Amino acid sequence: MKRLYFIVIGFVALLLASCEREQRRFQQGAPSTDTSQSHASMDEIYPGGARPPSNVANVYEENAYMVSEGKRLYEQYNCVGCHFHGGGGIGPPLMDADWIYGGEPQNIHDTIVEGRPNGMPSFRGKIPDQQVWEITAYVRSMSGLLRKDVAPGRSDDMSIKKPEESQKPEPPKK
Amino acid sequence: MKHSAFSNLGSFLLGGNHSVTSPASPQAHQINGIWWLMFWVCGAAFVLTMLSMAGAIWRRRKAIEVDHARDSRRAAFVALASGIVVVVLFVFLVASAVGMKKTEYIETRNALTIQIIGHQWWWEIIYNDPVPSQIVTTANEIHVPVGKPVLILTSSRDVIHSFWAPNLNGKRDLIPGYQTAFWIQADHPGVYRGQCAEFCGHQHAHMGFEVIADPAGKYEQWKAAQILPAKEPEDDVKRHGREVFLSHPCVMCHTIRGTDAGSRVGPDLTHLASRGTIAAGTLKNTTGNLAGWIMNSQSIKPGNHMPSMSLQPDDLQALLAYLGSLQ
């Protein structure tokens, strides 16, 4: 009888483990909106030594719903037009370890909002900031930088690419 | 504008503005004729079959007795019935071949040409003209003059769709990278509903359109109004609304002729307020519906390609006032 209790409790615990995954935190604000105050470092070359690394955490990277929203927005705002599904084409690939302008959440956010030379347009005001942070979280999932249980598990379209949750982690090269 | 399965079935059998059985064009009359021929013949065959089965059950077989005369009579009866079936099938074959031939043919002199491009999940309508300034682009609403043949050139921007306005003609697939052509002609004024008839993804069921057949004068009036660029906003609220449109995500996908917005990803909004519905026949074009659509289109048509916006209340009201003025 005792064993049955343990089995039941174990099963319920397993179910509860997945509770947080899809929680929709609409009230949770995006980390920061002002890119002019951003301290994200883009390059390793600095006068007078490097600044301490940016420690802005993107809360959306903890939430599967927000990341899957980011995945949809990545299509809807036509990021696929240049970066394709991560492999790159007109724009650089996003699923590898190379980051021209930094791979931390704040860097990617700033790159989307500010734009970058040679083709990346500035989306300032054109994408609501919360959605920029959702896209940022998704972009990082493409190179396997998010937890496996948060990264999207499938694609809505036909794709020969593996879903983001099975992407081998590609930590940014320093 | 929601159509349940039952109301669709009802309007199919009893007629309506989305029905094969209330034809409004020469081709639809052909299709309607074939439909009723098949309906009555198959109905009669069904009743006869059921009656003979009931008779067979009623007159159950008595003790087994061999009667060669009756057997040969039965064989003759089966041969006769088979012969009748073959003749009826031939009648159907000839009727549908003749009907198809007549459906393909239409008087083509001084025809109007309309280009229809399918998108997930809306219809882009272009009235071609040799003079570029006379080209009209709109969405989801096709205005045609009554009694004039209309050549429809179709293609698709993404996947296969199918153009089907049952009161006017049969279905025609819209195929990416390939242009097909067919004809419609409305016999009398009216609003005919159409629908995508080839499964094309998440919101296939909400990919409707309207064909509005107007008398020639009214049609010319409509077209003259559509050619004009968007109306200049006449007060500060609408001017602010235009600013909102041009500085927020809207401008990345939509066109408003006469402004800097010129993107071709979403429907042309130059004369949005002149249209009766939004979101491809999904909602009536009212201020409230439009506000809901802009702020959270994903709850109305989940999976559609328009991201939800986040606008300040003042900005949203100004935007709605501006869009509402685009007659």
Side-chain angles (χ1 to χ4, degrees), chain A residues 5 12 43 52 63 85 114 129 141 145:
Chain A
Y5 277 132
V12 170
D43 212 330
N63 186 276
H85 289 280
E114 302 275 341
D129 208 57
S141 81
L145 298 178

Side-chain angles (χ1 to χ4, degrees), chain B:
Chain B
M1 285 300 273
K2 297 233 160 148
H3 287 247
S4 74
F6 282 111
S7 77
N8 273 345
L9 187 67
S11 71
F12 182 76
L13 291 173
L14 305 171
N17 76 338
H18 187 199
S19 164
V20 172
T21 54
S22 47
S25 77
Q27 298 106 319
H29 275 288
Q30 292 296 330
I31 296 167
N32 184 43
I34 296 170
W35 156 256
W36 284 117
L37 175 73
M38 288 193 170
F39 180 83
W40 290 120
V41 172
C42 293
F46 177 75
V47 170
L48 280 178
T49 312
M50 286 300 129
L51 282 179
S52 43
M53 193 171 81
I57 293 168
W58 186 254
R59 295 173 44 213
R60 65 201 159 125
R61 188 184 296 205
K62 296 183 193 86
I64 296 167
E65 48 185 81
V66 182
D67 181 347
H68 289 292
R70 255 181 93 184
D71 276 0
S72 69
R73 258 189 291 136
R74 275 190 193 136
F77 187 75
V78 169
L80 178 70
S82 309
I84 292 173
V85 169
V86 170
V87 169
V88 166
L89 288 180
F90 258 100
V91 168
F92 281 170
L93 177 69
V94 171
S96 58
V98 170
M100 273 194 286
K101 187 85 187 147
K102 286 189 179 164
T103 308
E104 287 298 313
Y105 174 78
I106 195 166
E107 178 57 57
T108 59
R109 263 175 300 178
N110 55 54
L112 173 75
T113 306
I114 302 176
Q115 198 180 347
I116 295 182
I117 301 169
H119 294 256
Q120 279 177 328
W121 290 272
W122 59 283
W123 309 84
E124 183 179 359
I125 321 285
I126 302 168
Y127 290 73
N128 278 327
D129 199 287
V131 185
S133 66
Q134 301 295 302
I135 294 175
V136 166
T137 306
T138 180
N140 305 325
E141 242 183 54
I142 306 159
H143 285 249
V144 295
V146 166
K148 194 172 173 180
V150 179
L151 173 64
I152 294 193
L153 303 174
T154 68
S155 62
S156 168
R157 197 49 54 80
D158 34 48
V159 298
I160 298 178
H161 303 278
S162 187
F163 180 93
W164 188 39
N167 301 64
L168 298 174
N169 204 343
K171 298 166 188 171
R172 181 55 60 105
D173 279 8
L174 279 56
I175 299 165
Y178 179 77
Q179 186 169 281
T180 53
F182 78 119
W183 296 88
I184 61 169
Q185 177 178 325
D187 287 339
H188 34 82
V191 178
Y192 306 106
R193 195 178 179 280
Q195 167 75 37
C196 179
E198 178 71 46
F199 182 70
C200 59
H202 206 148
Q203 287 301 332
H204 162 65
H206 285 150
M207 187 172 166
F209 62 91
E210 276 175 353
V211 179
I212 297 163
D214 288 328
K218 204 172 160 201
Y219 166 76
E220 290 301 333
Q221 226 177 340
W222 172 83
K223 192 163 177 207
Q226 295 285 316
I227 288 170
L228 298 175
K231 221 170 80 185
E232 278 294 305
E234 67 267 12
D235 59 42
D236 282 345
V237 176
K238 287 175 189 143
R239 224 161 300 162
H240 178 55
R242 185 169 68 176
E243 279 309 305
V244 172
F245 188 92
L246 294 176
S247 59
H248 282 76
C250 326
V251 68
M252 293 204 288
C253 294
H254 293 286
T255 295
I256 292 182
R257 278 177 279 132
T259 72
D260 286 343
S263 187
R264 300 282 299 275
V265 180
D268 186 302
L269 302 179
T270 312
H271 298 284
L272 174 66
S274 74
R275 303 207 278 263
T277 61
I278 57 170
T282 310
L283 294 171
K284 286 219 168 67
N285 187 2
T286 63
T287 309
N289 282 343
L290 192 57
W293 177 257
I294 292 169
M295 294 306 281
N296 199 356
S297 68
Q298 294 298 331
S299 71
I300 297 168
K301 266 171 94 162
N304 85 78
H305 295 318
M306 176 157 152
S308 298
M309 298 296 116
S310 78
L311 295 174
Q312 295 303 313
D314 289 350
D315 291 347
L316 177 65
Q317 292 304 331
L319 179 63
L320 290 170
Y322 175 60
L323 292 176
S325 74
L326 297 176
Q327 277 296 335

Side-chain angles (χ1 to χ4, degrees), chain A residues 25 29 37-38 42 53 57 64 67 71 77 118 129 134 137 155 173:
Chain A
R25 296 175 207 163
Q37 298 297 312
S38 167
M42 292 194 297
V67 178
K71 180 168 182 164
Y77 286 117
N118 297 328
D129 208 57
E134 288 170 357
S155 296
K173 274 187 210 155

Side-chain angles (χ1 to χ4, degrees), chain A residues 35-118:
Chain A
T35 51
S36 67
Q37 298 297 312
S38 167
H39 294 295
S41 55
M42 292 194 297
D43 212 330
E44 65 270 26
I45 309 169
Y46 286 98
R51 282 178 294 187
S54 158
N55 55 1
V56 175
N58 184 2
V59 284
Y60 297 163
E61 291 193 355
E62 301 290 311
N63 186 276
Y65 171 71
M66 293 301 188
V67 178
S68 70
E69 283 294 288
K71 180 168 182 164
R72 277 214 315 215
L73 294 164
Y74 181 85
E75 306 251 343
Q76 290 173 343
Y77 286 117
N78 202 25
C79 309
V80 277
C82 294
H83 297 286
F84 299 174
H85 289 280
I90 301 164
L94 301 176
M95 60 196 289
D96 60 6
D98 290 324
W99 295 93
I100 304 171
Y101 298 104
E104 293 304 310
Q106 182 75 54
N107 296 131
I108 297 169
H109 172 271
D110 291 359
T111 299
I112 296 171
V113 174
E114 302 275 341
R116 296 297 177 208
N118 297 328

Side-chain angles (χ1 to χ4, degrees), chain A residues 105-155:
Chain A
Q106 182 75 54
N107 296 131
I108 297 169
H109 172 271
D110 291 359
T111 299
I112 296 171
V113 174
E114 302 275 341
R116 296 297 177 208
N118 297 328
M120 176 77 184
S122 159
F123 287 89
R124 183 192 298 285
K126 297 293 184 347
I127 305 180
D129 208 57
Q130 177 176 337
Q131 295 182 354
V132 175
W133 282 109
E134 288 170 357
I135 296 170
T136 300
Y138 171 64
V139 166
R140 279 175 50 87
S141 81
M142 288 171 128
S143 48
L145 298 178
L146 301 197
R147 289 202 328 253
K148 245 185 181 14
D149 62 331
V150 175
R154 64 178 187 88
S155 296

